[in-house]
Amino acid sequence: MADTRRRVKLYALNEDRQWDDRGTGHVSSSYVERLKGMSLLVRAESDGSLLLESKIQPDTAYQKQQETLIVWSEADNVDLALSFQEKAGCDEIWEKICQVQGKDPSCDITQDIVEESEEEKFEDMPDAAPPIELPPCELSKLDEISEVFNSVLPSPIRREKLANAIEYEGYIKKIVDLFHMCEDLENFEGLHQLYEIYKSIFLLNKNALFEVMFSDEFIFDTVGILEYDPSKPEKASHRDYLRNSASFKEVIPISNEELRQKIHQTYRVQYIQDVVLPTPSVFEENMLSTLSSFIFFNKIEIVSMIQDDEKFLTELFAQLTDEATDDNRRRELVNFLKEFCTFSQTLQPQAKESFFKTLSNLGILPALEVILSMDDPEVRQACTDIIMYIVEYSPSMVREFIMQEANQQDDDILLVNLIIEQMICDPDPELGNALQLSGVLRILIDPENMMATANAWASVPFPQKTEKTEFLSFFYKNCMHVLTAPLLANTTEDKPSKDDYVTAQLLSLILELLAFCVEHHTYHIRNYIFNKDLLRRILVLMKSSHGHLALSALRFVRKIISLKEEFYNRYIIKGNLLKPIVDAFLTNGQRYNLLNSATLELFEFIRVEDIKSLVAYVVETFYEQLKDVDYVNTFKGLKLRYEQHMDRQNVKSSLDSVPSILRNHRYRRDARSLDEEEEIWFEQDEEEMEDGEAVVPVTDMLKNKMDEELDHISKIIDGKRARESENKPPSPLKNPTRSPSPPPPTRKFNTSPPAASTSPPASPEVKTNNGGITGLVDYPDEDSDEDEDDDRNSSIPAKRPRLAT
């Protein structure tokens, strides 16, 4: 097993000034030939892949922070950090870095930060800049101190030297002592100057200084100095709030003293960043990145320490689910769990997965079912936040739990139904909690985040079924009726039975979820809509006095029509379901509003996409009502589409009336020899065909061609009969595009069975009946076309005859 002292997490600072986890591995320091120098190497503990290969440059500034962090900047402004599992490993690598750069390992930074400015171009080396001498920390020297601090801020090199001087001389303690003196003397001018000095110390962006300022000894003094902002008319009372109002509630006894102190420190530093410090300017924001990093790594340590304390978490969940726990106690437990989950958002994916698996094993989802049923609004809100965190990270884990409990409990107490009920019964007039819960439901029923294989969280995988198939079938069977209950209850008549603002808001949320189902669930929601006649009930809401609810109903119809599925189209036509939309549009009149625009867009979509069944339905049913709407061309365009469809049907009907002899092409000549009339037929203008102007001429032309074909065939047969009677060889066919047929066999065709004698065969003959064909030449070993034509007396055979030459 690899040495745990060298186990590290690699972090990189992204564009949003947040640390991204690049992976966990083991660090080493060795000479790399390709880089020509000693380098830091980090190999992933999972597969041994190389996560980092960084040469230790002689002029790179490496910083050691919080005893287990090493931070530095690569080329192209890439900030990197190594977070060690153990302090000993950090010290070991730090000594290697200092050895390469020739520095004392007792320092916390190996180099001055080199960033050349105009005023420093004359310096040959950064170290050539003179050291900063701090004035004596006395009341009479406050102006001089403030001037020195403000003068170094534009220069990164000078800032670094000032930070080193403050740390080396213990200057923060001297400033705090001076602060106590000024506060005792009520010297507000001096207090205002100390505020500016202390703010400058924050902008030095030095982690070592933050560790001193945020220690238990100086944290409240730091807050106290920042209370005297000269830009505000009165002193703030941040210390009083932190000491009295923001008392620490230890809901479960914390035996780890280091954990307790870390929690206190993190809360107070977060308060300083969010409340006490003024909003930083664009230039100051980057200068406070170390403060954000300080809070970030503190939160990671807190979550890790709590997660490792199995006794603490076990006791927490036991009390949460215990029926004997009183409401106040449960409220405190839930709020703590919410803060715990909030801190987990700082974790990187690998650590976050371990975090939520730990909570799942401890039974967080059954505990949330108990909490969600409580009447306390504060508890329900906290519970909603926790559910959101879990569902956003792993919806499959929640779905797997719901599927398992479905076999053990009634529908009423399923977690997903509890979520729906809480959404429906949200007491907030603006439905803030309901909106958040609808987001939870959307994630749970989204097929895009459902796995195509068996659920990885499930102890017993779904047999031979995907998560999508299994969960959606369950949802529509056990939960959809709960979601649509308020909608169906409110639309039993021809107008909404309850039309207050809160109800309208709730029904709008439900319609948004149903529209999402229409888009993503295909046949599940389609069957539900057909079985419940749901679309008719939804269109009742078009008569609501709340415009946003009517628009939600209209958007739902638009979502259905956008699918262009004939199942839905036939359902709409059969039920005349566009009538409520047309009525609402006409009632709206000439007002140019969202309802007007959305309705016109709906009909325009039908026209542009040429949905033939709906085009015909709209024109035949509503055109007389809509024909006067002439400020857009939508309805005229629909009428034109409809007429074009009718013209095409007329053309098709005319062609269908042509005799079958032409439809099955028995007597069609070679396609390569199109005559002039056929070319005219294929070159007919498409618009004339759609207008129905070419139907009659084309039909006459086809009839004429049929007569010509029959005359041509009749002449060929008559010529053959004449030649056969004269025992003369036949002349070649006149059609130049057809090659002569090979000589036929000498056996002739007779209508009576042949005699047994061996007399020579006679010449072939063709019998006629009233000028019609009654017999055709038969080829050896082939079936005669007579066998395929039952109508022996017909003058028009059923298929093209084969003629002997």
Side-chain angles (χ1 to χ4, degrees):
M1 179 181 292
D3 191 351
T4 58
R5 290 183 305 168
R6 295 194 176 190
R7 189 169 184 263
V8 297
K9 277 185 174 294
L10 175 64
Y11 292 93
L13 197 65
N14 61 26
E15 295 178 355
D16 298 327
R17 310 301 297 174
Q18 299 293 326
W19 289 100
D20 289 337
D21 188 352
R22 295 295 179 86
T24 302
H26 293 84
V27 64
S28 62
S29 175
S30 60
Y31 185 84
V32 177
E33 181 65 27
R34 182 176 61 83
L35 300 177
K36 303 297 182 182
M38 294 293 294
S39 304
L40 296 177
L41 306 177
V42 179
R43 294 192 177 275
E45 64 179 359
S46 58
D47 56 6
S49 61
L50 193 62
L51 299 179
L52 174 69
E53 186 179 59
S54 174
K55 181 180 178 181
I56 303 175
Q57 301 289 349
D59 56 351
T60 296
Y62 291 84
Q63 296 184 51
K64 184 181 177 184
Q65 301 177 4
Q66 299 184 21
E67 296 185 341
T68 57
L69 283 173
I70 297 178
V71 182
W72 74 99
S73 295
E74 292 277 351
D76 300 327
N77 297 323
V78 178
D79 293 336
L80 299 174
L82 291 177
S83 176
F84 289 78
Q85 181 173 338
E86 296 183 8
K87 178 180 181 296
C90 182
D91 293 340
E92 181 180 346
I93 297 299
W94 183 251
E95 289 179 4
K96 296 284 187 182
I97 295 172
C98 292
Q99 182 180 355
V100 172
Q101 295 194 343
K103 300 294 181 179
D104 184 358
S106 63
C107 67
D108 287 338
I109 184 168
T110 61
Q111 298 286 338
D112 291 330
I113 300 176
V114 180
E115 184 174 324
E116 191 176 37
S117 64
E118 291 295 331
E119 64 184 20
E120 294 163 342
K121 286 183 179 180
F122 67 91
E123 299 171 351
D124 295 331
M125 297 178 60
D127 290 339
I132 294 178
E133 295 184 4
L134 295 174
C137 194
E138 300 174 356
L139 190 60
S140 60
K141 299 290 185 178
L142 284 179
D143 290 336
E144 185 178 349
I145 297 172
S146 180
E147 183 180 352
V148 170
F149 277 45
N150 290 330
S151 65
V152 304
L153 291 179
S155 170
I157 294 177
R158 303 285 288 173
R159 285 203 308 268
E160 188 66 29
K161 289 187 176 293
L162 176 61
N164 291 335
I166 292 173
E167 182 183 2
Y168 180 75
E169 296 185 18
Y171 212 71
I172 290 178
K173 185 179 186 308
K174 298 177 182 178
I175 293 176
V176 168
D177 292 339
L178 193 58
F179 163 69
H180 290 156
M181 182 189 303
C182 290
E183 199 167 36
D184 292 339
L185 297 174
E186 295 185 355
N187 183 349
F188 292 103
E189 182 180 354
L191 291 171
H192 290 163
Q193 288 178 311
L194 286 173
Y195 171 89
E196 297 293 345
I197 293 171
Y198 224 69
K199 181 182 174 183
S200 298
I201 296 177
F202 271 91
L203 296 178
L204 294 177
N205 211 24
K206 179 73 171 178
N207 188 76
L209 299 181
F210 288 152
E211 290 181 352
V212 177
M213 296 160 65
F214 301 147
S215 63
D216 289 343
E217 182 181 0
F218 297 120
I219 183 69
F220 280 101
D221 294 321
T222 297
V223 174
I225 293 173
L226 295 175
E227 288 179 349
Y228 292 94
D229 186 350
S231 64
K232 296 181 180 179
E234 295 182 0
K235 179 184 81 70
S237 302
H238 299 304
R239 283 175 293 178
D240 181 65
Y241 174 81
L242 289 175
R243 284 195 177 104
N244 302 321
S245 302
S247 58
F248 177 64
K249 295 181 180 179
E250 196 171 352
V251 292
I252 302 293
I254 298 176
S255 57
N256 189 337
E257 184 62 29
E258 182 184 359
L259 172 60
R260 183 186 292 106
Q261 291 178 352
K262 190 68 70 175
I263 292 174
H264 284 308
Q265 184 188 60
T266 304
Y267 174 79
R268 291 162 183 166
V269 175
Q270 187 81 63
Y271 182 84
I272 290 173
Q273 184 188 46
D274 296 340
V275 180
V276 180
L277 285 176
T279 303
S281 66
V282 176
F283 302 101
E284 295 174 342
E285 188 172 0
N286 292 334
M287 299 173 71
L288 293 174
S289 60
T290 303
L291 178 60
S292 300
S293 299
F294 186 95
I295 298 171
F296 173 82
F297 287 110
N298 266 17
K299 290 181 177 180
I300 290 178
E301 288 185 41
I302 291 172
V303 173
S304 299
M305 284 190 284
I306 293 177
Q307 187 177 341
D308 294 339
D309 192 343
E310 296 182 1
K311 181 179 179 181
F312 180 90
L313 290 178
T314 302
E315 180 65 20
L316 173 68
F317 283 100
Q319 293 191 27
L320 270 176
T321 55
D322 189 355
E323 295 181 357
T325 304
D326 61 70
D327 292 345
N328 292 333
R329 175 67 174 167
R330 186 173 280 113
R331 184 185 304 113
E332 294 175 353
L333 294 169
V334 171
N335 286 329
F336 173 82
L337 184 59
K338 173 191 170 183
E339 290 298 318
F340 187 41
C341 292
T342 302
F343 274 29
S344 74
Q345 300 307 297
T346 62
L347 298 176
Q348 297 303 316
Q350 193 173 16
K352 191 178 290 187
E353 180 180 2
S354 173
F355 172 82
F356 282 111
K357 278 189 175 180
T358 300
L359 293 185
S360 177
N361 294 334
L362 290 170
I364 187 171
L365 292 175
L368 292 177
E369 283 187 328
V370 175
I371 302 169
L372 203 58
S373 303
M374 295 181 62
D375 295 331
D376 191 331
E378 181 182 349
V379 171
R380 287 202 305 269
Q381 181 59 55
C383 184
T384 300
D385 293 336
I386 296 171
I387 292 175
M388 178 61 78
Y389 289 140
I390 297 173
V391 170
E392 282 183 343
Y393 179 73
S394 178
S396 292
M397 182 181 75
V398 180
R399 285 192 288 260
E400 186 269 334
F401 169 77
I402 293 170
M403 293 294 299
Q404 285 187 347
E405 72 169 353
N407 300 325
Q408 305 169 3
Q409 300 179 0
D410 297 333
D411 289 353
D412 294 340
I413 54 178
L414 294 176
L415 177 61
V416 64
N417 283 343
L418 289 175
I419 292 174
I420 295 173
E421 290 171 3
Q422 290 300 320
M423 182 187 79
I424 294 172
C425 302
D426 187 5
D428 181 11
E430 297 298 328
L431 299 184
N433 196 35
L435 182 61
Q436 193 173 2
L437 289 172
S438 70
V440 171
L441 285 174
R442 184 185 292 256
I443 296 174
L444 287 177
I445 63 177
D446 187 358
E448 296 297 324
N449 61 50
M450 296 183 184
M451 293 180 289
T453 57
N455 197 331
W457 290 85
S459 56
V460 181
F462 302 140
Q464 298 178 352
K465 292 185 178 180
T466 64
E467 184 183 15
K468 176 181 176 180
T469 302
E470 189 77 4
F471 184 77
L472 289 184
S473 298
F474 159 81
F475 182 80
Y476 279 86
K477 179 181 178 182
N478 302 89
C479 310
M480 182 57 88
H481 66 280
V482 182
L483 178 63
T484 57
L487 173 63
L488 297 176
N490 206 40
T491 55
T492 55
E493 301 175 0
D494 60 349
K495 63 179 181 178
S497 56
K498 190 177 181 182
D499 200 24
D500 57 277
Y501 175 76
V502 176
T503 302
Q505 289 283 88
L506 175 62
L507 294 181
S508 293
L509 280 180
I510 294 174
L511 286 177
E512 290 298 324
L513 286 171
L514 292 177
F516 180 83
C517 294
V518 167
E519 184 176 2
H520 293 89
H521 293 174
T522 60
Y523 67 92
H524 287 95
I525 186 65
R526 184 173 63 213
N527 292 341
Y528 190 84
I529 289 174
F530 291 168
N531 292 334
K532 299 292 184 180
D533 198 12
L534 189 64
L535 184 55
R536 183 185 303 278
R537 304 291 287 273
I538 289 174
L539 286 169
V540 172
L541 302 177
M542 293 295 298
K543 297 183 179 179
S544 171
S545 59
H546 298 279
H548 68 273
L549 180 56
L551 285 170
S552 295
L554 185 56
R555 280 198 302 270
F556 183 80
V557 178
R558 174 66 173 80
K559 182 68 70 174
I560 286 179
I561 292 178
S562 68
L563 299 177
K564 296 188 287 187
E565 293 185 4
E566 279 304 310
F567 292 103
Y568 282 121
N569 295 343
R570 289 196 294 269
Y571 170 59
I572 291 172
I573 294 169
K574 183 178 180 180
N576 193 19
L577 297 181
L578 293 187
K579 184 178 186 303
I581 296 176
V582 173
D583 291 344
F585 176 73
L586 295 175
T587 302
N588 188 65
Q590 298 290 327
R591 285 179 291 177
Y592 182 58
N593 52 21
L594 282 175
L595 180 62
N596 176 275
S597 299
T599 305
L600 290 175
E601 194 277 335
L602 173 70
F603 288 111
E604 182 67 14
F605 178 83
I606 295 173
R607 185 193 70 83
V608 171
E609 296 297 325
D610 196 14
I611 307 176
K612 295 180 176 56
S613 57
L614 293 183
V615 169
Y617 163 58
V618 171
V619 173
E620 292 175 358
T621 310
F622 305 112
Y623 184 73
E624 289 301 319
Q625 298 172 264
L626 300 172
K627 64 181 180 181
D628 294 332
V629 180
D630 55 1
Y631 53 86
V632 290
N633 295 324
T634 298
F635 300 109
K636 291 181 180 179
L638 283 170
K639 182 67 181 304
L640 179 60
R641 287 279 191 191
Y642 175 75
E643 291 173 348
Q644 291 172 349
H645 296 163
M646 296 303 297
D647 290 343
R648 291 191 186 99
Q649 290 181 7
N650 292 336
V651 172
K652 184 178 179 181
S653 299
S654 300
L655 293 177
D656 289 343
S657 65
V658 175
S660 60
I661 187 172
L662 291 181
R663 291 203 306 273
N664 61 23
H665 310 291
R666 284 184 61 92
Y667 295 97
R668 186 182 64 189
R669 285 181 288 175
D670 196 322
R672 293 171 296 180
S673 58
L674 296 176
D675 59 19
E676 183 179 354
E677 290 180 345
E678 288 174 319
E679 292 179 0
I680 294 175
W681 157 251
F682 286 110
E683 293 174 359
Q684 287 293 317
D685 187 82
E686 184 179 355
E687 294 181 359
E688 291 182 358
M689 289 297 296
E690 292 178 351
D691 292 337
E693 296 174 359
V695 174
V696 176
V698 168
T699 303
D700 294 341
M701 184 171 62
L702 290 175
K703 289 181 178 179
N704 293 336
K705 287 184 65 60
M706 178 187 69
D707 295 338
E708 291 177 5
E709 292 281 2
L710 291 177
D711 292 341
H712 181 70
I713 293 171
S714 178
K715 290 177 182 179
I716 292 175
I717 294 175
D718 291 343
K720 284 180 61 64
R721 288 170 54 196
R723 289 192 297 274
E724 289 172 355
S725 62
E726 298 174 0
N727 268 333
K728 294 181 179 180
S731 60
L733 293 177
K734 295 181 179 180
N735 191 343
T737 63
R738 190 175 306 214
S739 60
S741 301
T746 56
R747 185 172 65 88
K748 70 175 183 179
F749 173 84
N750 292 318
T751 55
S752 58
S757 64
T758 58
S759 57
S763 61
E765 63 181 46
V766 179
K767 296 182 179 181
T768 61
N769 181 14
N770 297 327
I773 302 173
T774 59
L776 299 177
V777 176
D778 187 18
Y779 291 180
D781 302 326
E782 293 189 28
D783 294 334
S784 168
D785 286 352
E786 276 187 321
D787 298 334
E788 302 177 15
D789 191 356
D790 294 333
D791 190 1
R792 301 297 180 92
N793 297 324
S794 174
S795 61
I796 303 177
K799 63 183 290 187
R800 188 173 188 172
R802 291 174 291 189
L803 304 178
T805 56

